[in-house]
């Protein structure tokens, strides 16, 4: 039997009742597989790893060791939310690793997008490996692999794998979501009591804001991206666009331009808003955001984000552009 094929008898999980029975089955199976041994999980705070964490906390409690690596490229408030939900509310065994300087130092002066991705990926494995080595008695590695990751293994979502760990750390995998589609993962996440802001969050690339702070990342421009993204998300939520638009974010290019603020000349960064809709991320159309909302966002970003004096809107569909800028 192909253990990577969803059983044809498996019902689509569309309701809380179906999610509850999936959760009960998985708890039993996780307990049986892990047999009171410790399990390690890289918890990014994305939907899939968060649902795996919540499921494993229910199944094995403190035998799950979650590692949340803050690489400095997360959105505003994300590390805090992971700590709040998993440490404070679910009483999980959570290790928070502040690796911000480490990542930003490694990325300093690097402008090629693929090199940036490689550095972020490799450094992530290194940090995670170090934490794994500090732990005693880990025998399993949990991963938020979902069914599309398996069927389109080179597809856009195949990014959960913390594979790449050295051979001597050959943990057995625990992948309780591997037969679920994304919508089912969300239903399960809701049934496990995760907040909507985690369960229904928009896709966010593994390299995070690192590919939205274009070219060589600088700390000041990275903050421009993080702060403007937070304002964009807040205003989209207020304007009823949250959950309606598939993906929206800001990017900050390397150039500066001249502006004027409080009667003085400024020479500062621009921020570009991107808001797109898609079914499979292979093609995408641009959201027709109300002009008044764009004006409101522009006003807030230029007033509230230090170092930004211009806001632009990206009108390009995919193709010929990609969704991300790098
Ligand atoms: P593009 O830019 O290729 O993006 O049109 C399609 C979807 O994939 C996401 N994306 C990534 N996700 N690691 C990820 O985990 C990456 O390196 C990466 N690059 C793009 C992007 O956000 C969009 O949803």
């Amino acid at each position: 039997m192909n253990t990577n094929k969803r059983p044809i008898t498996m019902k689509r999980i569309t309701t809380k009742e179906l999610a509850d029975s999936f959760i009960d089955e998985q708890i039993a199976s996780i307990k049986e597989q892990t047999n009171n041994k410790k399990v390690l999980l890289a918890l990014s705070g994305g939907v899939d790893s968060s649902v795996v964490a919540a499921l494993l906390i229910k199944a094995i409690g403190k035998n799950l060791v979650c590692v949340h690596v803050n690489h400095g490229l997360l959105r505003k408030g994300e590390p805090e939310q992971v700590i709040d939900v998993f440490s404070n509310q679910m009483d999980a065994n959570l290790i928070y690793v502040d690796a911000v300087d480490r990542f930003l130092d490694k990325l300093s002066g690097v402008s090629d997008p693929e090199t940036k991705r490689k550095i972020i990926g490799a450094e992530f494995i290194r940090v995670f490996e170090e934490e794994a080595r500090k732990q005693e008695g880990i025998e399993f590695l949990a991963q938020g692999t979902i069914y599309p990751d398996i069927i389109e293994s080179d597809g856009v979502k195949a990014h959960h794998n913390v594979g790449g760990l050295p051979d001597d750390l050959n943990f057995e995998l625990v992948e309780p979501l591997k037969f679920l589609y994304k919508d089912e993962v969300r239903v399960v996440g809701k049934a496990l009591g995760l907040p909507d802001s985690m369960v229904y969050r928009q896709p966010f690339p593994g390299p995070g804001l690192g590919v939205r702070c274009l070219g060589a990342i600088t700390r000041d421009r990275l903050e421009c991206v993080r702060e403007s993204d937070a304002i964009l998300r807040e205003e989209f939520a207020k304007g009823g666009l949250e959950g309606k638009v598939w993906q929206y974010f800001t990017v900050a290019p390397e150039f500066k331009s001249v502006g004027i603020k409080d009667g003085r000349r400024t020479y500062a960064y621009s921020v570009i808003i991107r808001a797109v809709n898609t079914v499979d991320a292979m093609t995408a159309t641009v959201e027709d955001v109300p002009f008044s909302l764009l004006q409101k966002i522009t006003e807030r970003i230029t007033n509230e984000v230090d170092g930004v004096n211009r806001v632009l809107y990206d009108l390009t569909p995919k193709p010929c552009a990609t969704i991300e800028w790098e």
Side-chain angles (χ1 to χ4, degrees):
M1 194 181 101
N2 182 351
T3 53
N4 276 337
K5 195 145 175 47
R6 179 173 165 130
I8 35 172
T9 50
M10 193 172 153
K11 271 196 187 153
R12 290 274 299 170
I13 302 172
T14 50
T15 63
K16 168 132 178 36
E17 289 65 39
L18 290 167
D20 285 341
S21 76
F22 172 83
I23 291 166
D24 289 343
E25 279 164 29
Q26 288 305 317
I27 288 176
S29 134
I30 292 164
K31 279 186 174 158
E32 191 187 322
Q33 185 190 358
T34 60
N35 194 20
N36 280 323
K37 301 288 189 328
K38 282 195 194 170
V39 181
L40 193 66
L41 170 72
L43 175 58
S44 67
V47 185
D48 307 334
S49 69
S50 297
V51 173
V52 170
L55 191 54
L56 269 95
I57 290 163
K58 251 194 148 167
I60 60 169
K62 299 271 185 193
N63 271 338
L64 175 71
V65 181
C66 302
V67 178
H68 178 63
V69 178
N70 182 359
H71 50 30
L73 306 167
L74 298 169
R75 284 172 293 199
K76 188 171 178 175
E78 281 188 329
E80 293 81 0
Q81 186 184 39
V82 168
I83 293 168
D84 184 46
V85 169
F86 292 100
S87 221
N88 303 346
Q89 296 174 34
M90 296 192 175
D91 195 26
N93 199 350
L94 174 72
I95 298 167
Y96 169 78
V97 187
D98 179 347
V100 176
D101 288 340
R102 211 173 141 161
F103 276 81
L104 296 186
D105 288 351
K106 274 257 151 63
L107 287 163
S108 170
V110 180
S111 55
D112 175 64
E114 287 318 306
T115 313
K116 284 163 70 177
R117 275 192 174 76
K118 278 194 189 120
I119 290 173
I120 296 165
E123 197 59 17
F124 184 87
I125 299 288
R126 227 163 284 141
V127 173
F128 189 67
E129 178 193 340
E130 284 171 22
E131 292 307 316
R133 291 198 189 282
K134 285 183 201 160
Q135 300 296 316
E136 302 233 321
I138 303 273
E139 293 196 12
F140 297 88
L141 180 70
Q143 291 198 152
T145 314
I146 67 170
Y147 204 42
D149 298 333
I150 294 175
I151 49 185
E152 348 147 348
S153 59
D154 58 350
V156 291
K157 298 185 209 85
H159 297 283
H160 300 292
N161 206 325
V162 259
L165 286 174
D167 284 348
D168 66 308
L169 289 177
N170 62 346
F171 305 125
E172 186 179 322
L173 290 182
V174 180
E175 296 179 301
L177 310 181
K178 75 172 182 179
F179 293 136
L180 301 195
Y181 289 98
K182 196 74 173 196
D183 55 314
E184 298 177 287
V185 176
R186 297 192 208 275
V187 180
V188 171
K190 276 291 283 177
L192 286 163
L194 289 173
D196 281 3
S197 57
M198 227 166 212
V199 170
Y200 296 109
R201 67 164 41 179
Q202 50 169 317
F204 186 59
L209 302 182
V211 290
R212 296 179 181 169
C213 184
L214 306 185
I217 298 170
T218 56
R219 289 177 192 242
D220 62 339
R221 206 155 40 85
L222 183 59
E223 286 320 304
C224 293
V225 181
R226 195 174 351 252
E227 292 298 325
S228 58
D229 170 77
I231 292 172
L232 180 77
R233 285 190 285 139
E234 210 180 298
E235 292 300 327
F236 265 41
K238 281 194 212 155
L241 293 182
E242 191 184 45
K244 193 179 153 258
V245 182
W246 196 78
Q247 199 172 13
Y248 45 96
F249 53 87
T250 59
V251 301
E254 283 184 287
F255 63 80
K256 287 184 173 180
S257 74
V258 174
I260 187 153
K261 191 174 186 184
D262 302 327
R264 279 169 199 234
R265 178 190 183 274
T266 58
Y267 187 54
Y269 295 120
S270 295
V271 153
I272 300 161
I273 297 173
R274 183 108 175 105
V276 296
N277 289 306
T278 177
V279 175
D280 55 9
M282 302 304 283
T283 62
T285 54
V286 176
E287 172 71 14
D288 186 355
V289 180
F291 194 67
S292 55
L293 182 59
L294 289 173
Q295 283 177 310
K296 171 91 195 295
I297 294 166
T298 302
E299 192 184 314
R300 280 201 58 197
I301 291 176
T302 50
N303 279 329
E304 295 173 34
V305 184
D306 277 346
V308 176
N309 65 358
R310 220 175 264 272
V311 176
L312 314 167
Y313 189 61
D314 183 353
L315 288 170
T316 329
K318 174 180 182 177
C320 63
T322 47
I323 295 176
E324 302 289 344
W325 271 58
E326 286 194 335

